[in-house]
Amino acid sequence: MTRWPIARYLLGTHYLFLLAVLIGFYLAIGVILAVVSRFTEITLSAADIGGQILNWMAAGYGFTACSVLAVVMVHGRTRREFLVQHPAYQIILTGTAAALITGVYAAETALYSALDWGQKVQDERAYESTTDYPTIFVAYWSMLLIWQMVGAFVGVAVYRWETPGALAALPAAALLLLSGGINGFFQLPFVPVDIEAPLPMAGATVIVVAVTWAMLWATGRDIPVRAQAA
């Protein structure tokens, strides 16, 4: 019997597909940038602008964890296997995605420099420059991992309790608002958290992820088997 079968399955299927989607996403941004540059001067980082929707994509994908849970339980895997292996897979996925995105920033910097374009990033970001690669990597890793984990928690809660499970969105929203101030995504003025150094940002992220995982564990450790995900 192979070890970590759920994680191995996800890494062999979802992982490769999602990385391909991410590459396609940035290629599409490149095409849009080429078109826009013909009509106006470029002063902003296209990669940074595109990053504004990745958190919602991460949350949406995280929500589908309930479907994965339903499938693996039907195929004889335990809830506890899922609650350990799925988050581990998410760490690997988001780390790889963050590294790929950091590479996109590096490639964009070279292109913008060659064309003498401006490359300003959004004011609320944890990084002030597109060449601050360690902070860019940690900020994206933080955002993608937290939003996926929160999405998974809400998805499993809705799967377990159906309509009342939507109340899980309340603690989920609180975690997202807090983490938005940590990594510079989805930041609101009344959440005055600002961490620019990579190591403190990573430490704060670990705390938020641990809290989210604890809620996911409490929600899913004895979840009943259903015919299909709600």
Side-chain angles (χ1 to χ4, degrees), residues 6-23 61 68 86 88-100 148:
I6 299 171
R8 288 165 63 92
Y9 162 72
L10 292 170
L11 288 170
T13 54
H14 291 217
Y15 177 81
L16 298 176
F17 173 75
L18 290 170
L19 291 182
V21 169
L22 185 61
I23 292 171
Y61 173 66
V68 177
H86 191 272
Y89 153 73
Q90 289 189 6
I91 292 172
I92 297 171
L93 172 64
T94 54
T96 306
L100 192 155
Q148 278 192 193

Side-chain angles (χ1 to χ4, degrees), residues 55-80:
N55 51 347
W56 299 106
M57 293 170 66
Y61 173 66
F63 189 87
T64 66
C66 59
S67 298
V68 177
L69 174 59
V71 170
V72 299
M73 286 196 301
V74 168
H75 285 80
R77 294 298 169 185
T78 68
R79 300 153 182 80
R80 298 195 175 202

Side-chain angles (χ1 to χ4, degrees), residues 82-230:
F82 170 84
L83 292 170
V84 172
Q85 295 180 38
H86 191 272
Y89 153 73
Q90 289 189 6
I91 292 172
I92 297 171
L93 172 64
T94 54
T96 306
L100 192 155
I101 293 168
T102 304
V104 169
Y105 274 86
E108 184 190 72
T109 297
L111 174 65
Y112 276 44
S113 178
L115 297 175
D116 196 26
W117 289 347
Q119 199 181 13
K120 187 179 185 298
V121 300
Q122 306 297 302
D123 292 336
E124 67 272 13
R125 294 290 183 263
Y127 45 90
E128 297 180 355
S129 163
T130 57
T131 58
D132 185 4
Y133 302 127
T135 306
I136 290 173
F137 171 80
V138 175
Y140 273 95
W141 168 75
S142 170
M143 178 271 287
L144 291 171
L145 180 57
I146 291 173
W147 281 69
Q148 278 192 193
M149 286 288 290
V150 167
F153 161 63
V154 175
V156 170
V158 170
Y159 173 77
R160 175 169 187 165
W161 292 299
E162 298 184 335
T163 301
L167 293 175
L170 297 178
L175 287 170
L176 294 180
L177 290 175
L178 174 62
S179 67
I182 291 171
N183 53 46
F185 292 88
F186 202 63
Q187 186 172 0
L188 296 178
F190 54 82
V191 186
V193 181
D194 186 13
I195 302 176
E196 296 183 0
L199 288 179
M201 190 193 311
T205 299
V206 169
I207 294 173
V208 175
V209 169
V211 171
T212 309
W213 179 80
M215 294 193 302
L216 176 62
W217 180 276
T219 302
R221 63 187 176 84
D222 57 352
I223 194 169
V225 178
R226 297 181 183 276
Q228 60 182 6

Side-chain angles (χ1 to χ4, degrees), residues 15-67:
Y15 177 81
L16 298 176
F17 173 75
L18 290 170
L19 291 182
V21 169
L22 185 61
I23 292 171
F25 173 75
Y26 279 107
L27 288 175
I29 288 177
V31 172
I32 294 171
L33 177 65
V35 173
V36 171
S37 68
R38 299 180 64 88
F39 300 98
T40 186
E41 180 182 2
I42 302 299
T43 60
L44 299 173
S45 166
D48 199 60
I49 293 173
Q52 294 180 107
I53 69 170
L54 290 179
N55 51 347
W56 299 106
M57 293 170 66
Y61 173 66
F63 189 87
T64 66
C66 59
S67 298

